Amino acid sequence: MKVGVVSLLQVLVLVLGLCVRSSSLASFGDQQRNRRKSVLPTEASSSLVLNRVGSSIAFPVHGNVYPIGFYNVTLNIGQPSKPYFLDPDTGSDLTWLQCDAPCVHCTEALHPLYRPNNNLVPCNDPLCKSLHPTGDHKCETPGQCDYEIQYADGGSSLGVLVKDAFSLNFTNGIQLKPHLALGCGYDQISGPSPHPFDGVLGLGKGKSSIGSQLSRQGLVRHVIGHCLSSRGGGYLFFGDDIYDSSRTLVIHVSEHYSPGFAELMFGGKTTGIKNLLIIFDSGSSYTYLNSQAYGALMPLVKREAEKSLKQALDDRTLPFCWRGRRPFKSLQDVRKYFKTLALSFTNGGKSKIQFELPPEAYLIISSKGNVCLGILNGTEAGQTVDIIGDISMQDKMVIFDNEKQLIGWMAANCDRLPKSKAVRI
């Protein structure tokens, strides 16, 4: 989930065994039992329709790193189906919507609050158990699964787990409405830089993520990918039939979406900074390095930039901005003043794989026409790992293969929704 420039990778998911806000939950259960339940394909029948034929699901992505500061995808959920704007976040698992349960605290949203059907997930459901810390699953309210998610920037969502129909268009032309679990969030706290949204699309590796649920129903393989355009927008997909894996660099992934430790390069030369634990996080607009790496990089960037540019101390868009003789209109105007960065990974101890960051993958042009550095001091922001955010994943297809435990990336045209397996590069 993107809230300003703070990564939401560090997610603590706790399922509340206690009957928190019991009066609200009791009224929620009573309301849901009185709702009418529509007839839709069951998990078994959905699985029989496709049975892993290799089809995928693709969604347009809207937004940008700057000036909007976040992305969203539209999912149609419910009975009847209604559109909701969700914040795609590879740093968390649970998908949730702000919910009229009734809502104790809800933040600004762009659509009416989600109204669930008679579809509470019980506490003994394996999905509910997956939301608990190990060995901490208690069922004092057996008929429902309570959850609480706390994000690194202080934001949170409290609610109950429900199941509802997701209207999904597959790339082979089939439309299905599988029942998937999501959070009905009736008590939300915003982070320091809130933006209007209906909820969060959890794209992590856990059992409660939408990708994992779709895979268990046999509808797609547990592969997630996105392609963010530097011109704004892009696309997100579930499944593995819209990219050519033979043209994708791959590296084994550890916990979270991390290809492991990297060496930081600047202009093709080492900075001397090694063993950076890198995590890919679509929930962060910008890229974060720890204070040691940030401190080593900044003098190199400033030395290059200030050969021709002057620091714009009056521009508070980001911590470091520079001005030219006249306002810049695009990143193409400033590429010559900066060098390419790279993160060099060792793939299984046998070969080096580089994730390159050309100037346009770590710079923005501010509203004042200055160029600003989109790499931030993660230690100051409270981050404990080094994060590749959206700015550095632009104009690349980034693929998270949870079946093979691999991450891949390749340069791609992110402006058009893919239609077939062969992605045109």
Side-chain angles (χ1 to χ4, degrees):
M1 178 174 64
K2 300 176 189 66
V3 181
V5 301
V6 181
S7 167
L8 302 179
L9 175 73
Q10 299 170 348
V11 177
L12 174 62
V13 182
L14 300 175
V15 179
L16 304 180
L18 300 176
C19 187
V20 181
R21 306 187 189 279
S22 58
S23 61
S24 296
L25 293 178
S27 63
F28 174 85
D30 291 340
Q31 291 175 24
Q32 301 320 302
R33 281 188 288 272
N34 292 329
R35 295 191 187 279
R36 185 176 178 181
K37 193 170 184 180
S38 299
V39 177
L40 290 169
T42 64
E43 293 187 8
S45 64
S46 295
S47 182
L48 290 174
V49 173
L50 291 181
N51 194 25
R52 287 186 175 274
V53 296
S55 187
S56 295
I57 309 164
F59 305 92
V61 171
H62 304 285
N64 56 41
V65 171
Y66 182 85
I68 295 176
F70 59 90
Y71 291 92
N72 70 73
V73 296
T74 302
L75 264 69
N76 293 286
I77 303 170
Q79 307 167 66
S81 180
K82 296 180 180 179
Y84 297 96
F85 292 163
L86 298 183
D87 199 342
D89 183 16
T90 56
S92 62
D93 293 331
L94 184 64
T95 293
W96 57 268
L97 290 173
Q98 297 201 107
C99 182
D100 189 5
C103 195
V104 178
H105 296 104
C106 277
T107 60
E108 181 183 358
L110 299 173
H111 293 101
L113 296 178
Y114 166 69
R115 299 292 298 271
N117 289 282
N118 184 19
N119 49 11
L120 285 167
V121 174
C123 182
N124 62 1
D125 190 286
L127 278 177
C128 189
K129 185 177 181 179
S130 73
L131 298 177
H132 286 269
T134 303
D136 191 31
H137 187 208
K138 300 177 181 179
C139 288
E140 296 188 17
T141 311
Q144 65 190 35
C145 176
D146 305 314
Y147 78 86
E148 182 178 3
I149 302 176
Q150 297 178 345
Y151 296 101
D153 70 339
S156 65
S157 175
L158 176 71
V160 294
L161 204 63
V162 300
K163 281 192 175 184
D164 215 334
F166 283 61
S167 297
L168 302 174
N169 295 314
F170 290 75
T171 53
N172 61 4
I174 291 177
Q175 182 183 69
L176 289 178
K177 295 185 178 182
H179 280 80
L180 305 173
L182 71 153
C184 168
Y186 57 79
D187 193 350
Q188 275 69 244
I189 296 176
S190 297
S193 302
H195 61 267
F197 66 98
D198 297 310
V200 171
L201 178 59
L203 301 174
K205 303 172 68 175
K207 290 182 179 179
S208 64
S209 73
I210 295 299
S212 181
Q213 292 186 65
L214 289 170
S215 176
R216 286 198 302 275
Q217 292 192 29
L219 302 181
V220 296
R221 296 192 182 279
H222 194 188
V223 177
I224 297 163
H226 56 69
C227 200
L228 305 176
S229 174
S230 59
R231 289 163 289 281
Y235 58 86
L236 167 77
F237 62 90
F238 298 96
D240 65 348
D241 77 329
I242 63 173
Y243 64 93
D244 185 352
S245 59
S246 68
R247 302 186 64 183
T248 307
L249 293 173
V250 293
I251 189 167
H252 283 277
V253 61
S254 59
E255 186 181 1
H256 305 299
Y257 287 133
S258 172
F261 295 91
E263 179 179 7
L264 180 62
M265 314 292 288
F266 180 77
K269 299 179 180 179
T270 184
T271 62
I273 299 297
K274 300 180 180 180
N275 297 321
L276 294 174
L277 180 58
I278 301 295
I279 290 179
F280 287 74
D281 183 12
S282 69
S284 174
S285 296
Y286 295 102
T287 288
Y288 292 83
L289 297 176
N290 66 55
S291 57
Q292 181 183 8
Y294 187 79
L297 178 64
M298 280 311 305
L300 300 176
V301 174
K302 290 179 66 177
R303 185 183 307 144
E304 287 298 315
E306 292 171 12
K307 289 178 181 178
S308 304
L309 309 176
K310 293 185 178 180
Q311 193 169 346
L313 298 176
D314 60 335
D315 193 336
R316 303 297 180 87
T317 303
L318 288 171
F320 285 94
C321 299
W322 296 270
R323 65 166 51 91
R325 294 181 180 179
R326 59 182 63 88
F328 298 117
K329 295 182 179 180
S330 75
L331 289 173
Q332 296 303 315
D333 298 336
V334 300
R335 292 187 86 259
K336 60 185 177 182
Y337 305 123
F338 297 86
K339 291 185 176 181
T340 294
L341 304 178
L343 293 165
S344 181
F345 298 94
T346 300
N347 190 12
K350 299 178 180 179
S351 60
K352 296 283 187 178
I353 292 180
Q354 288 199 348
F355 184 88
E356 291 192 348
L357 287 76
E360 56 269 31
Y362 65 88
L363 300 170
I364 66 163
I365 302 298
S366 75
S367 60
K368 296 184 177 182
N370 301 317
V371 57
C372 301
L373 181 67
I375 299 177
L376 307 179
N377 189 328
T379 303
E380 290 182 357
Q383 301 297 339
T384 58
V385 293
D386 302 283
I387 291 172
I388 294 297
D390 294 332
I391 189 172
S392 300
M393 293 188 280
Q394 293 178 116
D395 299 325
K396 293 182 176 70
M397 179 183 284
V398 183
I399 300 145
F400 307 100
D401 188 331
N402 292 299
E403 299 202 356
K404 299 178 181 178
Q405 297 299 306
L406 296 172
I407 291 181
W409 56 82
M410 59 183 172
N413 179 355
C414 301
D415 294 325
R416 296 191 305 271
L417 206 64
K419 295 181 179 181
S420 65
K421 189 164 185 173
V423 173
R424 301 294 183 259
I425 302 176

